[in-house]
Amino acid sequence: MARPPPLGELPPGYTPPAQPAAPQILVGSLKAPLWLRAYFQSLLFSLGCGIQRHCGKVLFLGLLAFGALALGLRVAIIETDLEQLWVEVGSRVSQELHYTKEKLGEEAAYTSQMLIQTPRQEGENVLTPEALGLHLQAALTASKVQVSLYGKSWDLNKICYKSGVPLIENGMIERMIEKLFPCVILTPLDCFWEGAKLQGGSAYLPGRPDIQWTNLDPEQLLEELGPFASLEGFRELLDKAQVGQAYVGRPCLHPDDLHCPPSAPNHHSRQPPNVAQELSGGCHGFSHKFMHWQEEVLLGGTARGSQGQLLRSTLSLQLAQEALPGNASQQIHAFSSTTLDDILHAFSEVSAARVVGGYLLMLAYACVTMLRWDCARSQGAVGLAGVLLVALAVASGLGLCALLGIAFNAATTQVLPFLALGIGVDDIFLLAHAFTEAPPGTPLQERTGECLQRTGTSVTLTSVNNMVAFFMAALVPIPALRAFSLQAAIVVGCNFAAVMLVFPAVLSLDLHRRHCQRLDVLCCFSSPCSARVIQILPQELEDRTVPVGIAHLTATVQAFAHCEANSQHVVTILPPQAHLVPPPSDPLGSELFSPGGSTRDLLGQEEGTRQKAACKSLPCARWNLAHFARYHFAPLLLQSHTKAMVLVLFGALLGLSLYGATLVQDGLALTDVVPRGTKEHAFLSAQLRYFSLYEVALVTQGGFDYAHSQRALFDLHQRFSSLKAVLPPPATQAPRTWLHYYRNWLQGIQAAFDQDWASGRITRHSYRNGSEDGALAYKLLIQTGDVQEPLDFSQLTTRKLVDKEGLIPPELFYLGLTVWVSSDPLGLAASQANFYPPPPEWLHDKYDTTGENLRIPAAQPLEFAQFPFLLHGLQKTADFVEAIKGARAACAEAGRAGVRAYPSGSPFLFWEQYLGLRHCFLLAVCILLVCTFLVCALLLLNPWTAGLIVLVLAMMTVELFGIMGFLGIKLSAIPVVILVASVGIGVEFTVHVALGFLTTQGSRNLRAARALEHTFAPVTDGAVSTLLGLLMLAGSNFDFIIRYFFVVLTVLTLLGLLHGLVLLPVLLSILGPPPEVVQLYKESPEVLSPPAPRVGGLRWGMSPTLPQSFARVTTSMTVALHPPPLPGAYIHPASDEPTWSPAAIPAASSSSNLSSRGLCPTTG
């Protein structure tokens, strides 16, 4: 069986056909740009020819390199720590976090676990004993959960936060307190006796039942133990803390309970308490002085005495919901920090089903859109290979990111695979379309070089702009989004390498299949269609007489090719001269059929003929996007009234978008990240609606003298407390700061000393008869702070522990701090000071006779301390920003007074980004637009065109921002990244049309039409492929992915399609730059009148744009006087136009017929 010659060879008798003379006159200043782009295209041509010569090797090495990089995914790290994801490295917040962890350690902080109760139906009252009974049932179930870890069993009592366990000299009492000391639980149940049931632990004393908080009366216990042990210090400690009877003195929710203590106020009346009245003003823990839970902490959404109030507890556990009966009228919402971690882990997992589904959908689309009835032009296998190649390039890019140490996150795993696929396949479609539109007469061994020469500039321009866009998006100061942007830029770079280096090898191999006349996809089988319509190569007009003047010549000639049954040759026969048919009607005039030279020659000839009946296609197969753009879309779009309408509509869209931009609010609620319909979403929704409380702290650092800066510290606290968002303490409670607690304690022991001194129980030489507090004051008053002479007894009556201005003497500050920390553990715990370095332990011994107890070690200078605050009423991002600005201003004012301080807490951790987010966004977009202009101007070498592209891209960004406002999508770091990246992605839709316009000849309308004709299909296919890639995001379980990625990117793709194929062609037809080349044929200086039109399919017309000394001849097809080279003939599908039949041709060739012969494969 005879085979066609190899790709790299041509028939032995082949000589290159003479190229038609077409002098091109460069227009003015465009000589240098044209030369530079020609040089760049010559490099691309050489690259393409080299790839075609070694296509097998290039494909093997490319797949090997990309596969090796893809293995880097094995070392990928997925980051789920919120601090690592959202706090900018090196930022102010990052430095503050580092300072806090450096001083306190990683595990020093505690987290609040929450339980929220709501009615199932809006308006129901939860302030009833029955509702609180359900609250208790859920909390008890949560508190009894046990977990086995590290070989031990852990329950809530072992891991909860316990504030200020006091040091007691009596061992028995110390052990009992250690077992009974309760967890810190903020709950409305603390207003009732049932709150004791949440406190675990029990203690045993001989002759008594097990002591628990449900039956513990501290006053009665001290009376019973008084005769057996010295408990004076412990009694004073309880009196200072105002423990009283603890829980047994509080009303019972259910007085009929057998365990309700007799000391309960409603034990004898058996009347249920008025829950609303008891909860008014808040509740207390076991200590009335140090454990006051404000009403705003316990109740949310309250209107005093109204229904629909919510209850909050600092218990967290998932099993809380399971503790309720199925028909309960209340709902319990539980949440914990570990729940949020689990959500982030689930959010960061790659959905294999969606990834596989998305890529299969893209494979199907690429294959179907590139299949043709004509097997020689079908590229279904190329589409399949291209999508698989892009998938491998995406995997290799992500693998390279993993090798570079860029951590993955939810945006990487959920979005990037689909976004990169859609962007990468765009260039695959462009190269495939251009490969099928190779200019007639292109030698076979130069087909790939010609393809890269015509499309390489566009692919390079779009890819470079995309990479620059994502690199610019990395300016957003959020680590998660910065990592996403860097990864996207690297993946785009890998896609670019795959498209420019490996995919041309795939095209070269497919050319070999077409050359061997094999079926598409099923390349092992030969094509059943051997008859083709062959376009004869354009040749010179030679000695024909060209009319002098300005004329357009259009001639259409058809030839039929078939294999002779008795030979192995292809016979090409021209019809008789009388059967020449006129060209089809052209809505844009005959200029649209001109070949029109181009520096990149992207705009090849349109199909002029179709297959004949031997391989006749279905009627629907004759329609394609290029046909639609040529005969319908471009003629309609480029009419004057259509242009005006387009400009008005896009102007209106821009105006609406500017208004929509004013509606965009800052923020990203946690409810947007958590999947809807889950327990976590219900909890967060309830918390956002009713409990917008946030625990924050004002941290003071080292580097200044606390002892001499007390006034500045008090002023800082006052300034911070006056902020609108800070929850003020009750009027009956002192401020909850360590400096206030410390000063009040000193004033208390000073008062005790004064009483003991006045009564004579304390003298200059003895304090043993005085009170515990008086003895402590005695020891502090005699301290000098001097190492050589540490004690001075003369100071007992000449100094005070707190002066008249409310300040502590500096020389006593760190000495008194040691005594306060050791003697008032409950006050220290309530202050949440978290001192670093921690003051040394010092145990007061009133009966020490050695004098050693008089020496008090001074605490080291403080490097870390904090004032706790509660922020409330923070519903919108503007509220957070206002609170953050106020806190920062207070710290800045304190800094001018010498106090180094900063605010700490989740609002400052996650919302501080909004202080400069819009400025960062505008800066990134402006820099990116400038970079895009420079890149386009550098590669297009035409600032005029680059300016129009940037104008359209800026309009797209503004319109996308405005549409976000109408859709209710808030501005956060994630939409900012997409908005910045939209500039690069928009280049995909604009640069192809702009480059086609720039490199085409003719009037502006004609050039815009030709640009649309040849770029409409690849741009549309690229947009559809991007939408198909994004379609898989719509199936995400996370509303966050759907709203902030799928919706925004879909709107971006549609805007890009409209601006690239509608607005930009209109702008180019009105404001476009002049053509780079004008093809002119110089003739006789004499100008003759054009002759009348002839019947033989030729059309003549005057051109108003050229001087009369020149004539331009345009041919859509010219009869070749020599046989076209095979197998490099340019083959088109057949047309259904009524022409001559090959069966009617006589066996003997007439003088008007022409035959060409070449090798033909044998069939059968």
Side-chain angles (χ1 to χ4, degrees):
M1 175 177 173
R3 300 181 60 85
L7 281 176
E9 303 176 4
L10 290 173
Y14 169 75
T15 56
Q19 296 295 327
Q24 295 180 337
I25 298 178
L26 304 180
V27 180
S29 62
L30 294 178
K31 294 181 180 180
L34 201 59
W35 183 87
L36 290 175
R37 195 180 319 120
Y39 176 74
F40 179 66
Q41 289 176 327
S42 68
L43 297 179
L44 294 174
F45 179 80
S46 301
L47 174 64
C49 293
I51 292 175
Q52 182 172 347
R53 284 195 302 270
H54 307 286
C55 56
K57 299 176 184 176
V58 171
L59 182 60
F60 173 77
L61 293 177
L63 295 179
L64 185 64
F66 284 123
L69 288 176
L71 294 177
L73 289 172
R74 301 180 60 183
V75 299
I77 300 175
I78 299 180
E79 183 62 71
T80 58
D81 186 358
L82 275 178
E83 292 182 5
Q84 298 297 324
L85 290 174
W86 288 98
V87 180
E88 179 187 5
V89 177
S91 65
R92 176 172 61 184
V93 176
S94 175
Q95 295 173 358
E96 293 166 356
L97 275 176
H98 177 74
Y99 186 85
T100 301
K101 292 181 179 180
E102 179 185 6
K103 301 305 178 183
L104 300 184
E106 293 286 343
E107 304 299 331
Y110 62 87
T111 58
S112 296
Q113 318 303 324
M114 298 181 66
L115 190 75
I116 293 179
Q117 179 176 343
T118 63
R120 291 190 182 274
Q121 295 183 0
E122 191 72 23
E124 290 186 5
N125 189 11
V126 297
L127 296 183
T128 63
E130 292 75 17
L132 288 183
L134 292 175
H135 188 86
L136 174 63
Q137 188 177 354
L140 282 175
T141 304
S143 64
K144 293 178 180 178
V145 172
Q146 293 188 350
V147 178
S148 296
L149 190 64
Y150 307 118
K152 295 183 179 180
S153 179
W154 303 84
D155 57 13
L156 179 65
N157 192 52
K158 293 181 179 179
I159 62 174
C160 69
Y161 174 71
K162 299 181 179 182
S163 65
V165 179
L167 299 176
I168 306 299
E169 297 179 14
N170 189 295
M172 178 185 67
I173 299 298
E174 184 178 7
R175 288 191 297 270
M176 183 182 68
I177 291 178
E178 183 179 355
K179 293 181 179 180
L180 284 176
F181 208 83
C183 300
V184 176
I185 301 176
L186 280 68
T187 170
L189 295 172
D190 275 345
C191 283
F192 308 94
W193 167 75
E194 280 77 4
K197 295 183 177 181
L198 296 180
Q199 306 298 342
S202 62
Y204 171 76
L205 288 178
R208 289 181 56 90
D210 287 349
I211 300 176
Q212 298 177 348
W213 282 101
T214 54
N215 59 15
L216 174 61
D217 184 347
E219 294 178 350
Q220 180 182 354
L221 180 64
L222 289 178
E223 291 179 1
E224 294 179 0
L225 297 179
F228 306 101
S230 176
L231 301 175
E232 183 181 354
F234 184 52
R235 186 188 300 275
E236 288 190 10
L237 178 65
L238 295 181
D239 291 340
K240 288 181 181 179
Q242 300 176 8
V243 174
Q245 290 184 299
Y247 289 97
V248 297
R250 303 176 187 182
C252 298
L253 283 172
H254 302 283
D256 296 332
D257 191 335
L258 297 178
H259 298 93
C260 181
S263 55
N266 60 343
H267 173 75
H268 299 289
S269 65
R270 303 295 180 181
Q271 294 295 322
N274 186 332
V275 175
Q277 182 178 352
E278 294 292 339
L279 290 176
S280 180
C283 301
H284 297 84
F286 69 87
S287 169
H288 280 254
K289 180 179 180 179
F290 298 115
M291 295 182 177
H292 179 259
W293 321 139
Q294 293 177 246
E295 180 181 328
E296 293 83 356
V297 178
L298 303 178
L299 304 177
T302 59
R304 193 170 297 276
S306 66
Q307 296 181 346
Q309 297 169 332
L310 301 181
L311 302 180
R312 175 201 177 198
S313 167
T314 51
L315 290 175
S316 124
L317 292 170
Q318 240 167 299
L319 297 180
Q321 181 95 20
E322 300 175 6
L324 296 180
N327 59 352
S329 61
Q330 310 293 320
Q331 297 182 86
I332 300 294
H333 309 293
F335 192 79
S336 69
S337 56
T338 55
T339 305
L340 184 58
D341 293 338
D342 293 339
I343 290 173
L344 288 176
H345 278 288
F347 189 44
S348 303
E349 291 179 356
V350 180
S351 176
R354 290 212 321 276
V355 171
V356 172
Y359 279 71
L360 288 178
L361 186 62
M362 189 68 73
L363 284 170
Y365 174 78
C367 182
V368 170
T369 55
M370 300 180 73
L371 279 174
R372 299 290 184 270
W373 289 98
D374 182 1
C375 302
R377 290 176 58 81
S378 183
Q379 292 182 301
V382 170
L384 294 175
V387 174
L388 293 176
L389 179 62
V390 170
L392 179 61
V394 172
S396 65
L398 294 176
L400 179 59
C401 294
L403 294 175
L404 293 175
I406 303 176
F408 289 19
N409 55 67
T412 305
T413 58
Q414 295 283 330
V415 178
L416 191 53
F418 306 104
L419 179 61
L421 174 65
I423 294 177
V425 173
D426 292 354
D427 294 330
I428 294 294
F429 281 116
L430 181 65
L431 262 70
H433 277 272
F435 197 76
T436 61
E437 295 181 355
T442 303
L444 205 63
Q445 70 271 28
E446 297 179 0
R447 290 288 294 275
T448 306
E450 180 67 26
C451 178
L452 281 186
Q453 182 179 8
R454 291 183 291 125
T455 60
T457 303
S458 294
V459 173
T460 302
L461 193 57
T462 56
S463 299
V464 169
N465 271 286
N466 274 326
M467 286 189 286
V468 171
F470 282 115
F471 278 126
M472 293 306 301
L475 292 175
V476 176
I478 305 297
L481 281 308
R482 179 169 292 174
F484 172 79
S485 302
L486 293 176
Q487 289 161 346
I490 293 173
V491 168
V492 169
C494 289
N495 280 343
F496 175 60
V499 170
M500 292 293 289
L501 299 178
V502 183
F503 187 65
V506 175
L507 292 174
S508 301
L509 292 176
D510 186 68
L511 182 63
H512 181 73
R513 173 198 62 80
R514 294 159 59 185
H515 174 65
C516 295
Q517 298 180 359
R518 299 286 183 179
L519 284 176
D520 191 15
V521 183
L522 305 175
C523 55
C524 296
F525 300 95
S526 299
S527 171
C529 298
S530 58
R532 299 288 185 271
V533 175
I534 299 179
Q535 178 177 328
I536 306 303
L537 301 180
Q539 302 294 333
E540 295 186 30
L541 295 178
E542 295 188 352
D543 297 332
R544 299 185 185 181
T545 302
V546 179
V548 178
I550 305 169
H552 301 272
L553 172 62
T554 301
T556 301
V557 180
Q558 294 175 345
F560 183 78
H562 68 95
C563 280
E564 295 179 345
N566 56 355
S567 67
Q568 297 184 3
H569 297 85
V570 175
V571 179
T572 304
I573 304 174
L574 289 178
Q577 187 75 16
H579 289 280
L580 290 175
V581 296
S585 61
D586 185 358
L588 291 174
S590 60
E591 279 190 307
L592 191 53
F593 288 92
S594 64
S598 167
T599 54
R600 66 171 182 155
D601 202 17
L602 174 62
L603 312 178
Q605 290 288 350
E606 176 62 24
E607 296 95 326
T609 54
R610 307 291 182 204
Q611 276 186 324
K612 292 302 172 184
C615 292
K616 188 173 181 178
S617 61
L618 295 175
C620 62
R622 297 195 301 270
W623 187 92
N624 55 38
L625 291 174
H627 181 277
F628 169 75
R630 176 175 184 173
Y631 292 104
H632 302 284
F633 183 73
L636 177 63
L637 180 66
L638 297 178
Q639 294 179 12
S640 298
H641 63 276
T642 308
K643 293 180 186 179
M645 186 180 300
V646 167
L647 293 178
V648 170
L649 290 178
F650 275 90
L653 177 60
L654 182 61
L656 286 175
S657 300
L658 290 174
Y659 171 71
T662 62
L663 304 178
V664 177
Q665 299 179 355
D666 294 344
L668 176 63
L670 197 56
T671 51
D672 294 333
V673 180
V674 179
R676 291 184 180 272
T678 60
K679 297 178 182 179
E680 293 80 8
H681 188 275
F683 171 87
L684 293 172
S685 300
Q687 183 190 33
L688 183 64
R689 180 180 179 184
Y690 301 110
F691 289 102
S692 58
L693 286 171
Y694 296 88
E695 296 179 356
V696 299
L698 185 59
V699 175
T700 52
Q701 304 172 259
F704 70 97
D705 188 356
Y706 281 73
H708 290 85
S709 303
Q710 296 176 60
R711 176 56 60 195
L713 289 172
F714 282 120
D715 292 342
L716 172 61
H717 175 266
Q718 179 61 34
R719 195 177 298 113
F720 204 95
S721 300
S722 62
L723 296 178
K724 176 183 175 182
V726 173
L727 181 66
T732 58
Q733 182 180 348
R736 294 173 49 216
T737 69
W738 65 268
L739 194 55
H740 289 89
Y741 281 125
Y742 177 26
R743 184 182 65 180
N744 294 343
W745 179 82
L746 288 177
Q747 290 173 335
I749 63 173
Q750 178 73 58
F753 172 83
D754 292 341
Q755 291 179 2
D756 290 343
W757 182 272
S759 63
R761 292 193 294 269
I762 293 181
T763 63
R764 179 184 179 90
H765 302 288
S766 176
Y767 56 83
R768 295 178 185 175
N769 296 327
S771 62
E772 291 286 336
D773 287 350
L776 284 174
Y778 178 94
K779 295 180 179 180
L780 281 174
L781 288 170
I782 63 175
Q783 305 294 321
T784 63
D786 187 358
V787 178
Q788 301 296 330
E789 297 181 2
L791 304 178
D792 184 357
F793 293 92
S794 64
Q795 298 179 151
L796 285 172
T797 56
T798 59
R799 69 187 305 183
K800 297 289 183 180
L801 296 178
V802 178
D803 61 21
K804 296 180 181 180
E805 297 181 357
L807 302 180
I808 304 168
E811 62 274 12
L812 287 179
F813 186 85
Y814 287 107
L815 292 168
L817 192 64
T818 298
V819 177
W820 174 62
V821 168
S822 301
S823 304
D824 188 18
L826 292 178
L828 175 65
S831 71
Q832 301 178 33
N834 282 334
F835 291 131
Y836 182 85
E841 289 187 1
W842 177 80
L843 188 61
H844 166 59
D845 184 2
K846 180 179 176 181
Y847 302 101
D848 175 62
T849 57
T850 63
E852 290 296 326
N853 199 239
L854 293 177
R855 298 180 179 273
I856 302 174
Q860 299 182 36
L862 293 176
E863 298 179 14
F864 185 96
Q866 62 183 22
F867 300 152
F869 292 94
L870 278 176
L871 301 183
H872 72 121
L874 303 181
Q875 296 286 342
K876 300 179 180 179
T877 302
D879 301 331
F880 287 93
V881 172
E882 181 183 359
I884 292 172
K885 288 182 177 179
R888 291 294 183 185
C891 293
E893 184 68 24
R896 288 188 282 272
V899 175
R900 300 177 57 193
Y902 62 85
S904 175
S906 58
F908 306 96
L909 191 65
F910 301 114
W911 275 272
E912 183 147 342
Q913 57 173 295
Y914 296 103
L915 293 179
L917 185 63
R918 292 191 177 236
H919 174 266
C920 180
F921 163 58
L922 292 176
L923 178 64
V925 169
C926 292
I927 294 177
L928 180 55
L929 288 175
V930 173
C931 291
T932 302
F933 175 80
L934 295 177
V935 171
C936 291
L938 179 64
L939 291 181
L940 295 179
L941 298 167
N942 191 300
W944 192 338
T945 306
L948 288 177
I949 292 176
V950 169
L951 173 63
V952 173
L953 295 177
M955 290 181 61
M956 285 176 53
T957 304
V958 173
E959 290 164 7
L960 179 61
F961 189 68
I963 292 174
M964 283 173 48
F966 288 116
L967 294 177
I969 297 176
K970 297 180 180 180
L971 184 67
S972 63
I974 295 170
V976 164
V977 168
I978 297 178
L979 286 166
V980 174
S982 68
V983 178
I985 296 174
V987 174
E988 297 274 354
F989 301 99
T990 55
V991 73
H992 305 312
V993 178
L995 188 56
F997 178 88
L998 183 64
T999 58
T1000 310
Q1001 305 170 37
S1003 64
R1004 285 192 176 101
N1005 271 358
L1006 173 63
R1007 293 156 62 204
R1010 290 184 61 83
L1012 279 174
E1013 176 188 353
H1014 293 278
T1015 58
F1016 189 88
V1019 170
T1020 304
D1021 284 337
V1024 174
S1025 67
T1026 302
L1027 291 175
L1028 289 177
L1030 298 175
L1031 185 61
M1032 291 298 103
L1033 299 179
S1036 174
N1037 295 328
F1038 295 90
D1039 184 64
F1040 165 76
I1041 289 291
I1042 297 174
R1043 284 175 55 82
Y1044 285 84
F1045 283 100
F1046 172 72
V1047 173
V1048 176
L1049 289 173
T1050 299
V1051 171
L1052 169 61
T1053 304
L1054 296 177
L1055 286 176
L1057 195 62
L1058 289 175
H1059 285 74
L1061 297 181
V1062 178
L1063 178 62
L1064 183 59
V1066 170
L1067 292 177
L1068 289 172
S1069 68
I1070 300 174
L1071 304 173
E1076 292 182 335
V1077 295
V1078 176
Q1079 186 171 351
L1080 300 173
Y1081 291 88
K1082 188 173 182 179
E1083 299 294 343
S1084 169
E1086 300 178 4
V1087 180
L1088 304 179
S1089 300
R1094 299 175 56 185
V1095 182
L1098 303 179
R1099 295 186 295 174
W1100 301 83
M1102 296 294 295
S1103 172
T1105 58
L1106 298 178
Q1108 292 186 348
S1109 59
F1110 292 89
R1112 179 167 59 190
V1113 180
T1114 305
T1115 64
S1116 67
M1117 194 172 298
T1118 305
V1119 177
L1121 300 180
H1122 300 284
L1126 291 178
Y1130 191 51
I1131 301 176
H1132 283 300
S1135 136
D1136 289 333
E1137 298 170 355
T1139 58
W1140 64 286
S1141 171
I1145 301 300
S1149 301
S1150 65
S1151 60
S1152 61
N1153 295 340
L1154 181 69
S1155 298
S1156 63
R1157 297 181 180 273
L1159 292 177
C1160 178
T1162 309
T1163 58

